Structure formats: C-alpha cells, structure tokens
Amino acid sequence: MHSEIIPPVPSTMEKLLQDPRYQFWLLQLIGWLGWVGLYVIRDMYWGQPLSRIFLLIIDAIAGFLLTTGLRYVYIAVWEKSANIRVITAIIGSLLISWIWQPIKNYSQFVYYNDFTEVEKFDKLDFGFMQISMAYFSGWQQLSFFIFLGWSALYFGLKFNRMWQKERRRSIRAESMAHQAQLRMLRYQLNPHFLFNTLNAISTLILEKETNAANQMVSKLSGFLRYSLDKDAMQEVDLVHEINTMKLYLDIEQVRFDDRLKVKINVNDDVKDALVPSLLLQPLVENAIKHAIANRFDGGSITINASKFTGDLLIEVSDNGPGLVLSPGEEPVFSGVGLKNTKERLKELYGANYSLKFLPVLPHGLNVSIRIPFTKKS
C-alpha cells in the first residue's frame, strides 16, 4: 500500500534510446566509427598519411552494410535451435569476411595506385586463383574474427535485452500478484466489519431502539464513504487513519454508550507519517470485542503513536482480561482482522516490521506495531 508514484514521462530521446531498432543503428554507427578511429590512431603512430582516413571510411561503410545484411540473416534464424544459430554465425562471419577483404585490398590498390600484384599474376597467366589471391591477400583471419566478434556481440546484446525483458515481465507479474494479495487482504476487512455492524443494527431494531439504530446507520455510511475514498493500494497519513478510526468508534459508541472509553495520543512529529489504510480498525475492533463487549461495566481503549528509534510505533491497549502468553508465544485468533493485519504488514515491509502482543498491568492487552517511518515526498 505504498503511495502512488506517477513516473515521469520519458522524452523523445529517451524513447528512442529504449527502442531496440534505434539501439542497433546507434551501436552500428558507433562501432564502425570506433574502428575507423582505432586505425587512424595506428596510422598516426606508424607515420602513415592522414589522407588514408578516406580509405578507412570506405572500408567502414562496406563493413556497416555487410553487417546490416548479416543482422537480417540472424533475425531469420533467431527462433531456430542454438546449434543452428552458432553454425549460421560462423559461416556468416566467414562469408562476410571473404567479401570484405577484397574490398579492403582493392581500395588500397586504388589509393596507392599500385596494381603490380594483380598485373603480375595476370601476366603470368596463373589463372583466376592467383588473381583472386591478390584480392584476398592480407589479414583474412583478422577480418573473420572481426565479424565473428560482431556476431557474438549482436547475439550477446540480443540475449541480454531478452533477459532484461523477461526480468521486467517477471517483476511486473510479481508486483501485480503482490498488489492483488494486498487488495484481497484489505477488502476482506470491509465484509467482516459490515457483518458485525449490521448485526448490531439488527439487534437495536429488534430491541426497538430505532434512534440508536438510525444513528448507527448514518455513522456507518459516513465511515464507509470516508474509508473507501482511498485506494486499497495507497498509504495514508496517520491523521487520516486516526480520523477514520474516530468514525468507526462513533459507530461503536452508539452500541456501548458510556461503556466504551477511548483515549488517543498522537505525537506531533508522527502525524504526517504514512501507514496502511485501515491498519488500526481490526486492532480496535479486537479490543472492543474482548475488552468491552463481554464486560458489564465496559472498559477503555488507548491508542498511542510515537517515534521510536527512527521507526513509527503504534500501540493499541485495553484494560480487558488480556491473554496468558508464554515468552515468545503468539496468540491464536479465530477472526479475520488480526490475521489479515499481520499478512498485510508482511507483504508490505517483509522482515522490516514487528507486531507484538504484550500484557498490560494489572490486566489487559497491548498490541504494538512498529513499521518504517516515512512521509509523503
């Protein structure tokens, strides 16, 4: 039941950066420009003329286009088995390197205006193989590993994106299940409370206490309207929660009149602390059921809220018969309310909460809840 946070609207650039198609073209451009940059640094170190950058740009453009075509081949085999994808990557890298290497060699022949190797093979009439070797000569293995590395990077990024997508889907599904669980626990309180209240109204009508029954119906309407204004997944500030409890207590006051006495003490520094909506209702209802309803002279309920070592501490105490508990033992309740309270706290805060039941001297029960202290941002 955390406060709803409206995520910021992403800008056009952010949307583009999250688009896989845009990411591919951006990485292609950066990758091949980086390749050009590395060779420029190498040529500067070796004293090669900077005009060779045009030759490198031509080679990079060819590599850019060839790897783009390779991408569509990989898309076509993406749904195939892992073996087929690996074989396709190896063969594709080899074929592309065979195409790219002659382009690199020929561009160097043009740049240096030196076709002696080709002419020599042509004059000797060694045939197609020898001429081809002139075009394929050079670091053929290096070209192959460049494209094999490109292929590995392509598949690695694609698998990573797929894993991230599955992870987001899993987190979203887990969050939806978490919210559904919280809503279920939250909405179980209303039928439980309504059953008890309508039962009391029915009793008042049977006893012909129509004025009291009418007051109870009016206050019940106000309580439901007030409590349902807030979404079940939202947290509310403590003042709102206390006001909701006052409406609930007004209903019970109609039933018990002066048999029910309530004291509420909330420190000023925790009034704006966030708490799960209707957190107090089952605690107060339990106190009324065990400490007030079964006693002729009624009893009192005290609600305290304060800050304790950086956390929010809420206590609901009564002067009823209390419970006999062994150290470390938790009470067993047959009702829905307190069970749901514990489950809701567990869903919301994990291990970062406490719910304790302690005896009150000379008699009574104290229920204390300790949760992280947070405010609206």
Side-chain angles (χ1 to χ4, degrees):
M1 288 179 208
H2 293 290
S3 300
E4 183 180 1
I5 300 176
I6 300 175
V9 179
S11 63
T12 303
M13 180 56 67
E14 289 173 334
K15 289 180 179 178
L16 284 175
L17 290 174
Q18 293 171 5
D19 187 336
R21 293 169 298 181
Y22 181 83
Q23 289 175 359
F24 172 80
W25 296 115
L26 181 62
L27 290 174
Q28 272 281 81
L29 184 62
I30 292 174
W32 285 106
L33 285 178
W35 181 85
V36 171
L38 287 174
Y39 271 86
V40 167
I41 294 173
R42 185 204 66 172
D43 287 353
M44 291 174 63
Y45 180 77
W46 285 354
Q48 295 286 343
L50 290 179
S51 57
R52 268 174 50 87
I53 191 173
F54 297 107
L55 169 63
L56 296 172
I57 290 175
I58 291 172
D59 296 343
I61 291 173
F64 184 97
L65 295 175
L66 289 170
T67 49
T68 298
L70 199 57
R71 174 203 182 201
Y72 291 103
V73 175
Y74 292 162
I75 290 174
V77 300
W78 179 252
E79 301 297 334
K80 305 295 183 181
S81 67
N83 289 337
I84 292 178
R85 289 199 295 264
V86 170
I87 293 172
T88 303
I90 294 173
I91 296 176
S93 300
L94 184 61
L95 292 175
I96 292 297
S97 68
W98 284 350
I99 298 173
W100 193 50
Q101 188 66 44
I103 294 174
K104 288 176 61 182
N105 289 347
Y106 185 76
S107 62
Q108 292 189 53
F109 297 156
V110 173
Y111 176 80
Y112 290 108
N113 193 25
D114 183 2
F115 290 87
T116 55
E117 291 295 319
V118 178
E119 292 171 354
K120 180 173 65 175
F121 284 119
D122 187 39
K123 289 177 181 178
L124 293 174
D125 196 22
F126 283 170
F128 175 76
M129 183 60 68
Q130 285 77 6
I131 296 175
S132 299
M133 287 300 296
Y135 284 95
F136 280 95
S137 63
W139 294 92
Q140 173 64 40
Q141 292 180 350
L142 178 60
S143 298
F144 169 68
F145 284 112
I146 286 175
F147 290 108
L148 191 62
W150 184 96
S151 301
L153 183 62
Y154 175 85
F155 280 110
L157 291 174
K158 197 169 180 69
F159 275 116
N160 179 68
R161 187 165 59 245
M162 184 177 67
W163 178 79
Q164 292 286 353
K165 185 177 180 181
E166 289 299 321
R167 184 170 176 270
R168 287 193 297 269
R169 185 182 291 117
S170 176
I171 292 173
R172 189 163 54 248
E174 184 178 345
S175 175
M176 290 173 66
H178 172 74
Q179 293 180 16
Q181 173 74 1
L182 288 174
R183 285 195 171 98
M184 180 194 73
L185 294 170
R186 161 68 169 78
Y187 289 137
Q188 278 181 351
L189 296 176
N190 288 339
H192 181 248
F193 161 70
L194 281 173
F195 175 79
N196 291 340
T197 306
L198 293 175
N199 224 14
I201 293 172
S202 175
T203 301
L204 290 172
I205 293 173
L206 288 174
E207 294 175 354
K208 296 185 179 180
E209 297 186 31
T210 54
N211 288 335
N214 184 56
Q215 288 181 48
M216 206 165 182
V217 169
S218 298
K219 292 182 182 298
L220 173 62
S221 174
F223 172 77
L224 291 177
R225 184 182 301 110
Y226 196 76
S227 63
L228 294 176
D229 277 345
K230 295 292 183 181
D231 184 85
M233 289 304 300
Q234 284 187 312
E235 286 181 328
V236 297
D237 56 62
L238 188 56
V239 171
H240 178 97
E241 179 68 5
I242 294 296
N243 289 335
T244 305
M245 281 305 93
K246 287 179 179 178
L247 285 173
Y248 168 74
L249 288 167
D250 285 344
I251 296 171
E252 298 293 12
Q253 202 78 55
V254 175
R255 290 174 60 194
F256 299 105
D257 198 21
D258 58 356
R259 291 172 58 204
L260 172 61
K261 299 176 180 64
V262 180
K263 295 179 182 178
I264 299 176
N265 305 308
V266 179
N267 290 357
D268 291 337
D269 59 346
V270 298
K271 287 183 177 180
D272 55 352
L274 293 176
V275 297
S277 63
L278 286 186
L279 175 68
L280 296 176
Q281 191 269 335
L283 305 182
V284 173
E285 182 180 5
N286 183 72
I288 290 174
K289 178 180 178 182
H290 295 283
I292 311 295
N294 296 327
R295 301 176 63 191
F296 178 77
D297 56 347
S300 65
I301 296 174
T302 303
I303 301 174
N304 294 317
S306 60
K307 209 170 183 180
F308 181 76
T309 63
D311 289 336
L312 175 65
L313 178 64
I314 302 174
E315 298 176 290
V316 177
S317 305
D318 64 65
N319 62 349
L323 293 172
V324 179
L325 296 174
S326 301
E329 180 184 1
E330 290 191 1
V332 178
F333 296 101
S334 58
V336 174
L338 290 178
K339 289 180 181 178
N340 278 5
T341 298
K342 184 175 181 180
E343 289 298 319
R344 292 170 69 200
L345 291 172
K346 185 177 179 181
E347 285 287 327
L348 279 168
Y349 305 111
N352 196 21
Y353 84 95
S354 68
L355 175 62
K356 295 181 179 179
F357 300 85
L358 303 170
V360 175
L361 297 176
H363 54 81
L365 180 68
N366 172 280
V367 183
S368 69
I369 294 177
R370 184 175 171 181
I371 59 176
F373 181 86
T374 57
K375 297 182 180 181
K376 285 183 180 179
S377 56

